[in-house]
Amino acid sequence: MRSTMTAVLERNRTATADFCTEPYEIPWAAEARFFVHALDIAEGTLLTFATEISPDGLHWCDLDESVHAVSTEGVRSWPVSGFGQWLRLRCRVTGENPVAKLRIYLVGKS
């Protein structure tokens, strides 16, 4: 039987500027999946998410070239594999008066 766990990285965060989630150490997982739930998002706001990896939780690089755009309310998700030790999301926030309320989850599976 495979094991899973869910970590809440952001709970009801109001995003008005670029940010990174708290890093999460997950070396036991063979695969992972990020979920971004946009609870409320102002018109004209664009959030772009990139998955970042780290060997030590201190120094970060992009996992790949994938960027995930969010501009409307709802849940988005994408898989992550081949990540090694640590994961986090980097979010770029753009728009004239950008604001979004978010929940971000990381699910790991062995």
Side-chain angles (χ1 to χ4, degrees), residues 9-55:
L9 302 181
E10 298 290 344
R11 184 185 316 262
N12 299 328
R13 179 187 188 113
T14 300
T16 58
D18 297 352
F19 70 93
C20 291
T21 64
E22 288 293 318
Y24 202 87
E25 187 175 19
I26 191 167
W28 57 268
E31 59 188 88
R33 179 171 282 277
F34 280 109
F35 289 87
V36 174
H37 186 184
L39 300 166
D40 189 29
I41 191 162
E43 187 174 333
T45 299
L46 176 64
L47 309 172
T48 53
F49 292 91
T51 302
E52 293 189 332
I53 58 174
S54 171

Side-chain angles (χ1 to χ4, degrees), residues 52-106:
E52 293 189 332
I53 58 174
S54 171
D56 56 12
L58 300 172
H59 304 94
W60 295 89
C61 65
D62 290 349
L63 173 63
D64 54 27
E65 301 296 320
S66 298
V67 175
H68 307 276
V70 175
S71 60
T72 59
E73 295 172 3
V75 179
R76 310 303 186 290
S77 180
W78 56 91
V80 183
S81 61
F83 50 85
Q85 193 81 354
W86 292 81
L87 286 171
R88 74 176 184 184
L89 284 183
R90 183 185 70 244
C91 179
R92 301 283 185 236
V93 181
T94 57
E96 191 169 318
N97 293 303
V99 63
K101 190 170 187 178
L102 305 169
R103 289 186 188 144
I104 300 175
Y105 307 91
L106 173 61

